[in-house]
Amino acid sequence: MKVKAILNSGYFANARHATNYIAYIDRQSPIFDQNGTEKRVLSAQADVEAPSNSTVWYHVYSLNASDCERLGVDRNYMKNLIALKADELAKAYNISPNNLRMVCSWHNKDFHPHLHFLVWSTDSREAFIPHREKETDKNAALNAATRTVKSSFTNEIFRGDLAYLKEVKSAQRDKLNEQLRRLVSSEYLVDREITDALKDLGKTLRSTKGKHTYKFLPPPLKAQVDNVLERVTQRDPVLRSMYEEYLDSQKELVLTYASNDETLDKKFAEIENSFFHPYCDFDDRRAGRAEVTRHNIIIQAAERYAGPGVRKKPASHSARQKSTSALAADRNDTAPAHAAANPSPPHSGPAVQEKTASHDAQEKSTPEQDLAMNTQPAASDEKVDGADYREKSPSYAAQNMLYRLAKTLSFDQRQAQIRNRAHRAANGLTGEKQNVRRLKTGLADEQNLSVMER
């Protein structure tokens, strides 16, 4: 459903034009002020002609007749809307709420219902326009205030319609981000161009200091992340279709307040550009609220894909045992020389020799301990870098899958063996308990027989 609202605005060159305009809109429908109170024409004209007033702005806010009928928008509705949004109007034009003055009139035409309203301040220093001598600057400031007022009115009138459109947009955005995360996090990503782009980005991030989130990256690195995201989105067909659906939902929202073809084209171009380049041509206020979740997904995937730094392979158990025996031999060789150099008095008691547990005794454990300590393999054992497969063999995906399957089967076999040991031990304990119970029963029977014989 497409809803439309148009707001035309401008300013009067002098107070005489403003008084004539007030007389014209009053002939169409009675006027009222910013509080929704009915107002007389002569009183309104006298107020607008006061010498201490600021620039007087005029606006025409237009709606569709079908929307007004469907939503119940009439003169009373507009009076309440103006009273509700008076503070926001004052802020849009840099006016103190106490100095705000308005004259409004609702024209309920069958084909073109619209609201006329004038805005000014009783203080000439307010409702200011920078560089008043330059017409272009005045129009630029007016356009900024017009967008604020139009957005405020439209969001209130079409709250129900816009809530549905915003929910659809949010759902499509979340689904797109999830598909992007699933795509770049897969270990079987076979698109060579995407993998190379992620590897290059990961290497650049590894050499970059600071927090690796999109907001804190330097501009050149932001541009690289933007390019990777755009390449991934355009090359994956599923992601590209979700991206187009997301753009359509965004355009539906734009159609609620814009109808001019030139304005629509400009807004649509901004939406498409901000999807990949959220900080491009944005001021600081808007950039702080930019949607960068998908960019952070790309950054995290690039860091995982590049992998950790090169680590030394830990020494095996046999190597550690050899080094320990060699160290002990060196100590035995140097012991006599040290004893000759530093003779010590003889001990009165026998020497106490500490008994060291052997390696077999340390590794030996009960089945219950095995079950208690049974956990999944460490993350370092499970982590497999697929770069070797990609560089050495085109069938790296199948080899990686077979390797993981073999490790899983081996782990399951070890679990089964430990469970069998625990089961046998439990059965043995149960059998011993039964034998002791039978022995006690037999002794009790013999005692009973001896008593009976007596």
Side-chain angles (χ1 to χ4, degrees), residues 186-195 305 390 394 396-397:
S186 175
E187 296 184 1
Y188 308 112
L189 189 60
V190 295
D191 194 320
R192 188 71 181 183
E193 184 175 348
I194 295 178
T195 55
Y305 202 85
R390 285 188 286 271
Y396 73 91

Side-chain angles (χ1 to χ4, degrees), residues 59-214:
H59 309 79
V60 181
Y61 184 72
S62 305
L63 299 169
N64 291 330
S66 59
D67 292 331
C68 291
E69 182 179 359
R70 176 173 59 88
L71 301 173
V73 178
D74 54 7
R75 189 168 184 270
N76 291 330
Y77 182 93
M78 281 298 174
K79 290 171 67 174
N80 295 329
L81 179 65
I82 290 296
L84 179 66
K85 299 295 183 180
D87 291 344
E88 295 185 18
L89 288 170
K91 183 178 179 181
Y93 289 103
N94 302 306
I95 300 175
S96 174
N98 296 330
N99 299 332
L100 175 67
R101 297 293 183 269
M102 295 182 66
V103 173
C104 313
S105 178
W106 170 250
H107 297 174
N108 191 12
K109 301 293 184 181
D110 294 336
F111 61 93
H112 181 214
H114 56 276
L115 174 71
H116 294 265
F117 61 98
L118 282 66
V119 179
W120 74 92
S121 173
T122 57
D123 188 350
S124 60
R125 296 171 297 180
E126 297 180 341
F128 60 89
I129 299 298
H131 306 289
R132 296 178 67 93
E133 69 276 4
K134 294 185 179 180
E135 192 73 14
T136 56
D137 292 336
K138 179 175 285 192
N139 288 331
L142 175 61
N143 291 334
T146 300
R147 286 193 298 268
T148 303
V149 174
K150 184 192 299 183
S151 175
S152 178
F153 281 16
T154 305
N155 288 335
E156 183 64 30
I157 296 174
F158 300 101
R159 177 180 295 180
D161 299 338
L162 294 178
Y164 170 74
L165 294 176
K166 290 178 180 179
E167 288 179 2
V168 172
K169 185 195 75 170
S170 299
Q172 291 178 348
R173 180 192 60 206
D174 296 341
K175 185 165 59 174
L176 185 147
N177 291 340
E178 185 62 27
Q179 174 63 21
L180 175 64
R181 183 180 289 105
R182 187 183 303 111
L183 175 66
V184 298
S185 299
S186 175
E187 296 184 1
Y188 308 112
L189 189 60
V190 295
D191 194 320
R192 188 71 181 183
E193 184 175 348
I194 295 178
T195 55
D196 292 343
L198 289 173
K199 288 175 66 176
D200 294 341
L201 177 60
K203 293 178 182 178
T204 307
L205 289 170
R206 187 185 298 175
S207 60
T208 303
K209 297 181 180 180
K211 190 175 182 179
H212 290 174
T213 56
Y214 186 82

Side-chain angles (χ1 to χ4, degrees), residues 167-394:
E167 288 179 2
V168 172
K169 185 195 75 170
S170 299
Q172 291 178 348
R173 180 192 60 206
D174 296 341
K175 185 165 59 174
L176 185 147
N177 291 340
E178 185 62 27
Q179 174 63 21
L180 175 64
R181 183 180 289 105
R182 187 183 303 111
L183 175 66
V184 298
S185 299
S186 175
E187 296 184 1
Y188 308 112
L189 189 60
V190 295
D191 194 320
R192 188 71 181 183
E193 184 175 348
I194 295 178
T195 55
D196 292 343
L198 289 173
K199 288 175 66 176
D200 294 341
L201 177 60
K203 293 178 182 178
T204 307
L205 289 170
R206 187 185 298 175
S207 60
T208 303
K209 297 181 180 180
K211 190 175 182 179
H212 290 174
T213 56
Y214 186 82
K215 182 178 180 179
F216 301 103
L217 293 181
L221 199 51
K222 280 191 177 75
Q224 187 176 356
V225 176
D226 297 345
N227 295 332
V228 174
L229 174 62
E230 186 172 5
R231 191 178 304 176
V232 172
T233 304
Q234 297 298 335
R235 291 187 66 86
D236 185 70
V238 178
L239 203 60
R240 185 169 61 250
S241 63
M242 290 184 176
Y243 163 70
E244 294 173 355
E245 293 177 0
Y246 177 72
L247 290 184
D248 293 339
S249 64
Q250 286 275 66
K251 293 175 181 179
E252 287 289 334
L253 285 173
V254 175
L255 291 173
T256 60
Y257 60 86
S259 59
N260 185 274
D261 293 338
E262 183 179 356
T263 303
L264 290 175
D265 293 340
K266 182 180 178 180
K267 290 293 182 181
F268 294 164
E270 287 181 1
I271 292 173
E272 295 179 4
N273 186 56
S274 62
F275 183 89
F276 299 110
H277 312 284
Y279 279 44
C280 181
D281 297 333
F282 269 51
D283 55 20
D284 295 337
R285 181 177 58 84
R286 292 187 62 192
R289 300 188 313 229
E291 173 60 36
V292 295
T293 303
R294 46 189 170 269
H295 297 76
N296 289 327
I297 293 174
I298 292 293
I299 292 172
Q300 295 169 5
E303 290 179 337
R304 288 195 303 268
Y305 202 85
V310 179
R311 294 179 297 180
K312 294 183 179 181
K313 185 176 180 181
S316 62
H317 175 69
S318 58
R320 289 198 302 267
Q321 189 173 5
K322 290 180 180 179
S323 60
T324 304
S325 59
L327 182 61
D330 294 339
R331 289 178 179 175
N332 294 333
D333 294 339
T334 57
H338 180 72
N342 300 313
S344 60
H347 295 283
S348 59
V352 179
Q353 182 178 1
E354 295 182 358
K355 185 177 180 181
T356 305
S358 63
H359 180 70
D360 297 336
Q362 291 177 357
E363 290 187 348
K364 188 174 181 180
S365 61
T366 62
E368 290 78 3
Q369 293 175 350
D370 292 339
L371 286 175
M373 299 176 61
N374 184 27
T375 57
Q376 292 288 343
S380 59
D381 297 336
E382 286 293 328
K383 187 171 182 180
V384 178
D385 188 5
D388 295 338
Y389 293 115
R390 285 188 286 271
E391 296 175 358
K392 296 180 181 179
S393 173

